[in-house]
Every structure is written in C-alpha cells, then in structure tokens.
Amino acid sequence: MKKTFGFIIGSLRKKSFNRAVANYMASVVPADIDVKFIEIGDLPFYNEDLDAATPPAWQRLREEVKSVDALLFFTPEYNRTIPAALKNALDVGSRPYGQSAWGGKPGGIVSVSPGAIGGFGANHHLRQALTFLNVYTMQQPEAYIGNITASLDAEGKVVNEDTQNFLQSYIVAFVDWSKKF
C-alpha cells in the first residue's frame, strides 16, 4: 500500500531555503511514497475563541495532517527557535483539546540555515514540541543543514553533491523509520 508523507515547511518566504531542500527531498523519495506539501502560511493565529466557528484553513490543516502517514518538518531558525508560523500550525493541529491531528505519527526534522550550526536550536525546540504532541520523531540521523547557500544554485536547487547524498540517505532512513509504525 502506498504511503503519503506530509511535508511541512516552517519558512513562508517564496525562495525559502527550507522549501528548496524539501523540494529536493520530494524528488528523491521512493516510488511507493507520495508527498503532500501541507501549507501553513494561511492559518489564522490560534485563538480558542475561534473553535466555535472553526476557520476553514484550520479545518484544512487538521484534515491534511490526519490524512498522511508520516510527517517531515523543514524549519529555519528564528532567534534560536522555530518560526511563529510553524508553532501556530502545531497549536492549530493540536486543538480542540483531546482531538490532536498530530498524535501517533512518525516524524522527522530537517533544519536548514545559511548559518554554520544549521538551525540546531530550532531543531531541538521543534523536537520538544513534537514529543508532547506524540509525534514519534526519528532520532538518527539528525539533519542540521548549515551553510545552505553553498549547496544551492542561482535558481534555488540543491546542487552540492555531498548535500544531495546526505539528504538522500536521510530520506532512506526516514522511510525505514516510518515503516516501524
């Protein structure tokens, strides 16, 4: 049976480095895996008062998360943590209380940054939130992609062979991880 991986990108920028990496990884998944990009840029900020008349974007996110077999998160690092848009998506998907869309799914984290430490802080903050949300986050290999601008061409495609090889090995490990659930 074909599985579907949900790719969630924490950066909203059109030419996002995280989107470039996610696009590359989507192109190298095995043929028996579908990739669904779950967009988060249109989500109103979580406010419990809105649960009474759920915004359509919230409902879409919750349904899309529930519909996938595994989740792969791509995050930049903003001030040593995850972007507000990604945190908001986690909050929206976890509500109403007791009805979280996230729980019980295998997950993985790829942090991408032009800086040298590759979004280490964001990666670990996201890992902490996913633990609470009952997403079974793959421990190894870890993916901190630093100095990303050296791995991309002018069109934003991943062209560095070492980076490509690492991302391919990561997706193979993630596919294996997802099969455990």
Side-chain angles (χ1 to χ4, degrees):
M1 183 170 157
K2 205 165 195 178
K3 288 193 172 197
T4 302
F5 288 176
F7 279 23
I8 299 175
I9 302 164
S11 173
L12 304 181
R13 194 168 58 90
K14 287 180 185 174
K15 294 187 178 185
S16 160
F17 302 135
N18 283 269
R19 188 167 297 277
V21 169
N23 286 335
Y24 177 78
M25 291 182 79
S27 75
V28 298
V29 296
D32 62 338
I33 304 287
D34 284 331
V35 172
K36 178 175 190 55
F37 284 84
I38 300 174
E39 300 299 334
I40 63 172
D42 64 337
L43 299 172
F45 278 112
Y46 183 74
N47 174 344
E48 190 174 355
D49 293 342
L50 299 179
D51 277 337
T54 304
W58 287 9
Q59 190 59 36
R60 176 201 46 83
L61 174 83
R62 292 167 180 165
E63 289 171 4
E64 288 181 353
V65 169
K66 287 177 183 177
S67 75
V68 299
D69 300 297
L71 298 159
L72 196 52
F73 295 87
F74 298 84
T75 187
E77 182 171 285
Y78 294 173
N79 302 312
R80 295 288 186 249
T81 192
I82 61 176
L86 182 53
K87 175 63 168 81
N88 185 53
L90 296 175
D91 293 343
V92 166
S94 72
R95 297 292 191 259
Y97 185 78
Q99 298 177 40
S100 177
W102 305 108
K105 295 184 185 290
I109 302 170
V110 177
S111 53
V112 180
S113 171
I117 61 173
F120 178 87
N123 191 304
H124 284 269
H125 279 183
L126 180 54
R127 190 172 297 275
Q128 180 180 8
L130 294 178
T131 297
F132 177 78
L133 294 173
N134 201 30
V135 174
Y136 304 117
T137 309
M138 184 171 74
Q139 302 301 307
Q140 294 293 325
E142 295 175 297
Y144 311 102
I145 313 299
N147 302 314
I148 188 61
T149 54
S151 294
L152 303 175
D153 67 11
E155 286 79 44
K157 303 230 187 285
V158 177
V159 294
N160 178 280
E161 190 174 335
D162 289 339
T163 303
Q164 288 176 339
N165 290 337
F166 174 76
L167 295 173
Q168 289 171 14
S169 69
Y170 185 91
I171 202 70
V172 167
F174 186 68
V175 168
D176 290 344
W177 174 251
S178 73
K179 289 178 181 175
K180 295 177 183 342
F181 299 89

